[in-house]
Amino acid sequence: MIRFIGASVAFALVGAPVNAQTQHVPAESGRSVRDYGAVGDGSTDDTDALQAALDDGRDEHADYFGRPRTLHLPAGTYLVRDTLRWRGCCVQLQGAGRDKTIIQLMDDSPGFRDTESPRAIIDVPRVEGNKSHRQYIFDLSLDVGERNPGAIGLDFISHNNGAVARVDIRAGEGSGVTGLALTEAWPGPLLIRDVRVSGFDVGIRIAHPEYAPTFESIALRHQRTAGMMIDGSIVPVHQLDSEQHADIPAVVSGGAGSLLVLLDASLASEGGQGSAMVVEGSAYLRAIATQGYARAVLTDRSTSGSAPVDLSDTTEIDELVVGEPSSLFDSPRRALHLPIQPSPQYEGENASDWAYAETKWPRDGRDAERLRAALRSGAPIVYLRGGATSVWGDEIEIPAHVRRIVGFGHCANGFGDDPIGLRFVVAEPSEHPVIIEQFGYGVTVHHAGDRAVALKYGGYRYQAEPNAGDLYLDDVVTHDLHFVAGQQVWARQLNTEGDVNVVNHGAQLWILGQKTERFGTVIHTLDGGLSELLGGLVYPSRSYDQSDSSLAAFLAEDSGHSLVFGTSVYVDRGFHPQLVTELRGSQQLSIPANPAPRAIPLHTGYTEQLVQRAREGSGPPAAKNANDRPNGERAKDGGCGVVRTKGAPGRALAVFLAVACTLVRRRRR
């Protein structure tokens, strides 16, 4: 294998995560911890009050999938002396903002001194194996205080979907083993977004071969051992900003089964001879700038007769594959580099921007009438009662002026023989995307117009008409997704569970982190579509039918894809017979999965001509911000916060290695 080192490389400019403003939380959207006696004055011990709020109405032996719980923590500093826990799944903690709501461990707490038996401020429960569904923590900070060396900020788990977003985790002097621990069996899939960790031995620790989280917009500061430590997991990360003391690595990815996917990163240290990243398994690395480190990456992989690969002359990375890249037809040896747009956000200006759509139980038959009235009220944000379940059978059109619909964990059940509860129709044109978020399950979105749609934090079904606009999917569990020509789709933490997962009919599809179950083709790309997968786990978890020997995990028909993913197989015939199948004209080629490799650090299957045709048909250049992009316009390359420079032609140094590393200059799109 050959690696190329150019004289000039592009680099990422990744700032600290944003969105620190105070979050407006309507009273009807859930219970407040103040109702249970919590004070939040920074001096009162609020442990018992907070625990009472978490325990209320929860029976250890009950099923809470259809009985979610939403708790609000108003602005204040809540002192605790012990770990906070709850029973069951489906709990949402909503703060008033990372700089407004703080849960702080008392200094020198007796139960948090032992580093061999660390304890967390918040310990999210594992429920019956893998049933800890829909756990969410938003808009607050966790502080482990001082002189608590055995403290963990947050020990988190959530199955199928869940998130930690807009959260700070910090440790004082002499405190902290791990900021964010994701080490329980099957910690995800879930989304960690806009999280900052300061202090601790390790900022973020991930350990398990299945169902790792997806990370975006992460800031790590001044850890004592490593910023992020990965043990055998498949971990996709977009936008990592790390600042460390001398010789402390930003990322350590250990274990032969690990696959690190990292793009758009700024990794800095105070100096020394260390490496910004230490990689023992496989990796796909892109658009990474380092400062103060002797090298960007040290890979410890070796095979018989070969030495570890030390890229000592490389401090900036355009695109680097650690492992064996693959292709079937003649294809560029780099990923597609599809444009990346940030997910839309809209918070509103004040409380008058929010309209409440009341739901009642027992059902009075007027829930749909009240929801339509709230949507017609003129308010840009409409919300439902959090921690509640309602019964629907209605189709609701979303007016053009509505920018956001928030469920606060609301679940929508079907009525009678109809298993689908609440149907939203997006048909009216608008220059602003509409955001639909925080619905536990039961919501279908019919995308019938060219207005952009963002689905976030929940379980949804999605239907697109031929003229459907762009789509954003953030922490979504679903199945049977079909995207249409002309669409651009950005998905972060996509969990598809069904016999049909994703079918791309001519769209441009970008996925950061995908998890699947069952044996349907994971991504089927056709009609000239382009699909880029950056980190995913294909784990059917059962044996396939031997009669279908042509079934492929990934299929492209006269279309293009680039794929970075991993697999897990524990049973006989536990994977698709074909890993990848591609058709170009009358010719068909496949990579058999016998056995399926643990990590595929990069597979490419496209032509430059196909990519150029897709770009020419994608419409006018996009506006700079996804929130205000004019209706119908498509994003061009450059939306991911990366400064791309073409650079002078570099020297090419070819070194044949048993461990395959390919560094390819990314060209400006």
Side-chain angles (χ1 to χ4, degrees):
M1 195 53 58
I2 303 173
R3 65 184 172 99
F4 296 97
I5 300 176
S8 175
V9 293
F11 61 92
L13 298 176
V14 182
V18 294
N19 195 29
Q21 70 264 35
T22 300
Q23 302 294 308
H24 175 67
V25 182
E28 302 92 342
S29 55
R31 293 291 302 272
S32 169
V33 297
R34 297 279 172 84
D35 298 341
Y36 300 87
V39 179
D41 61 1
S43 59
T44 302
D45 182 351
D46 284 319
T47 308
D48 294 339
L50 294 176
Q51 192 59 58
L54 293 167
D55 289 342
D56 186 22
R58 292 250 152 178
D59 184 321
E60 187 175 2
H61 303 290
D63 176 12
Y64 299 100
F65 189 80
R67 290 187 288 163
R69 178 91 167 135
T70 301
L71 281 174
H72 300 155
L73 289 89
T77 297
Y78 301 85
L79 289 184
V80 296
R81 68 180 185 278
D82 204 352
T83 298
L84 300 174
R85 298 182 176 90
W86 59 79
R87 298 187 183 99
C89 74
C90 314
V91 170
Q92 180 169 321
L93 301 184
Q94 175 67 60
R98 68 196 332 155
D99 58 341
K100 304 294 183 182
T101 299
I102 302 166
I103 302 176
Q104 182 170 333
L105 181 64
M106 294 178 180
D107 296 343
D108 199 19
S109 292
F112 295 84
R113 296 170 181 168
D114 187 356
T115 58
E116 297 300 318
S117 299
R119 298 174 61 188
I121 296 180
I122 295 179
D123 187 359
V124 178
R126 181 178 177 184
V127 181
E128 297 181 19
N130 61 346
K131 295 182 180 180
S132 188
H133 303 296
R134 304 199 320 265
Q135 314 280 21
Y136 289 97
I137 299 179
F138 295 134
D139 303 299
L140 54 78
S141 289
L142 300 172
D143 191 326
V144 302
E146 296 184 355
R147 301 184 302 282
N148 292 310
I152 295 171
L154 173 60
D155 194 339
F156 196 76
I157 188 171
S158 189
H159 298 127
N160 284 348
N161 59 321
V164 179
R166 305 179 297 275
V167 168
D168 282 3
I169 306 173
R170 51 184 181 256
E173 186 69 25
S175 284
V177 174
T178 304
L180 174 58
L182 298 147
T183 55
E184 293 282 345
W186 315 300
L190 57 95
L191 180 62
I192 308 294
R193 168 187 277 162
D194 193 0
V195 169
R196 304 187 295 215
V197 184
S198 302
F200 299 93
D201 293 339
V202 177
I204 300 174
R205 187 185 295 270
I206 311 108
H208 202 273
E210 280 81 49
Y211 307 147
T214 296
F215 295 86
E216 186 171 55
S217 297
I218 306 298
L220 303 174
R221 295 291 184 268
H222 307 303
Q223 280 73 50
R224 294 184 288 269
T225 302
M228 176 180 286
M229 189 167 286
I230 301 165
D231 184 7
S233 302
I234 298 167
V235 179
V237 185
H238 178 226
Q239 295 180 325
L240 174 63
D241 184 356
S242 174
E243 295 180 7
Q244 302 298 337
H245 297 301
D247 294 323
I248 300 299
V251 182
V252 176
S253 183
S258 65
L259 172 59
L260 169 65
V261 183
L262 176 60
L263 59 155
D264 297 336
S266 174
L267 313 178
S269 82
E270 296 172 354
Q273 298 302 310
S275 303
M277 296 169 285
V278 179
V279 176
E280 294 181 4
S282 301
Y284 175 80
L285 310 173
R286 186 166 103 197
I288 298 171
T290 72
Q291 181 179 356
Y293 289 103
R295 66 193 65 82
V297 59
L298 173 69
T299 174
D300 200 21
R301 290 190 60 182
S302 61
T303 57
S304 179
S306 68
V309 179
D310 182 356
L311 301 175
S312 58
D313 55 348
T314 303
T315 58
E316 295 179 346
I317 293 174
D318 261 356
E319 187 169 17
L320 174 65
V321 177
V322 180
E324 187 65 42
S326 66
S327 60
L328 287 166
F329 294 91
D330 184 22
S331 179
R333 302 294 283 235
R334 61 182 179 276
L336 276 166
H337 294 266
L338 293 180
I340 306 171
Q341 278 285 352
S343 184
Q345 299 183 63
Y346 182 75
E347 303 298 336
E349 299 294 332
N350 48 54
S352 64
D353 289 333
W354 294 69
Y356 177 45
E358 184 182 14
T359 59
K360 291 188 176 182
W361 187 260
R363 187 173 187 264
D364 66 358
R366 297 182 59 198
D367 287 352
E369 177 185 337
R370 287 186 288 266
L371 177 54
R372 290 189 179 100
L375 290 167
R376 293 193 300 266
S377 68
I381 304 175
V382 173
Y383 67 99
L384 283 75
R385 182 160 54 95
T389 302
S390 56
V391 178
W392 302 81
D394 301 278
E395 187 171 277
I396 308 292
E397 294 188 8
I398 300 177
H401 72 270
V402 173
R403 303 277 297 271
R404 186 179 174 207
I405 302 174
V406 189
F408 289 107
H410 197 100
C411 297
N413 289 314
F415 182 74
D417 296 330
D418 188 353
I420 305 302
L422 179 58
R423 294 178 175 87
F424 286 119
V425 178
V426 181
E428 291 188 19
S430 172
E431 63 179 354
H432 303 294
V434 60
I435 302 165
I436 302 170
E437 64 174 302
Q438 300 176 44
F439 284 89
Y441 60 78
V443 172
T444 295
V445 176
H446 184 191
H447 201 172
D450 60 0
R451 182 183 189 183
V453 170
L455 305 180
K456 301 186 181 187
Y457 307 124
Y460 305 93
R461 296 196 66 179
Y462 174 78
Q463 302 164 345
E465 294 291 335
N467 64 332
D470 291 344
L471 177 66
Y472 302 82
L473 301 169
D474 299 353
D475 182 54
V476 167
V477 57
T478 185
H479 64 93
D480 197 10
L481 284 173
H482 291 256
F483 306 129
V484 299
Q487 273 191 305
Q488 288 200 93
V489 181
W490 296 272
R492 289 133 166 120
Q493 202 301 86
L494 177 63
N495 180 13
T496 51
E497 299 190 5
D499 295 324
V500 177
N501 290 291
V502 177
V503 184
N504 178 1
H505 302 268
Q508 293 190 37
L509 169 64
W510 180 90
I511 302 177
L512 181 76
Q514 182 181 6
K515 169 256 183 183
T516 69
E517 294 182 17
R518 306 183 192 176
F519 273 102
T521 294
V522 177
I523 303 175
H524 181 184
T525 310
L526 66 164
D527 299 330
L530 298 174
S531 300
E532 182 174 18
L533 174 63
L534 294 161
L537 176 68
V538 184
Y539 179 27
S541 70
R542 65 195 69 182
S543 297
Y544 70 87
D545 182 355
Q546 287 181 298
S547 64
D548 188 4
S549 61
S550 65
L551 179 64
F554 296 91
L555 173 62
E557 301 184 60
D558 292 312
S559 300
H561 58 191
S562 65
L563 311 168
V564 181
F565 66 99
T567 72
S568 285
V569 180
Y570 295 108
V571 298
D572 185 39
R573 305 189 316 278
F575 200 81
H576 305 68
Q578 309 299 326
L579 192 70
V580 181
T581 294
E582 295 171 4
L583 292 85
R584 292 189 186 177
S586 60
Q587 190 174 8
Q588 175 176 318
L589 298 176
S590 296
I591 300 176
N594 53 355
R598 166 61 175 171
I600 296 84
L602 180 63
H603 174 87
T604 57
Y606 67 93
T607 65
E608 293 286 10
Q609 293 82 2
L610 178 65
V611 173
Q612 186 62 34
R613 285 199 302 270
R615 289 202 189 107
E616 291 172 350
S618 62
K624 293 181 180 180
N625 193 309
N627 299 314
D628 298 310
R629 192 166 74 245
N631 184 48
E633 291 191 359
R634 308 298 185 195
K636 292 295 184 182
D637 202 12
C640 59
V642 178
V643 177
R644 293 178 174 81
T645 58
K646 199 163 187 177
R651 294 171 299 166
L653 175 62
V655 180
F656 289 88
L657 301 168
V659 177
C661 295
T662 304
L663 183 63
V664 180
R665 179 188 317 282
R666 187 180 346 169
R667 300 182 303 172
R668 183 168 55 191
R669 300 302 189 190

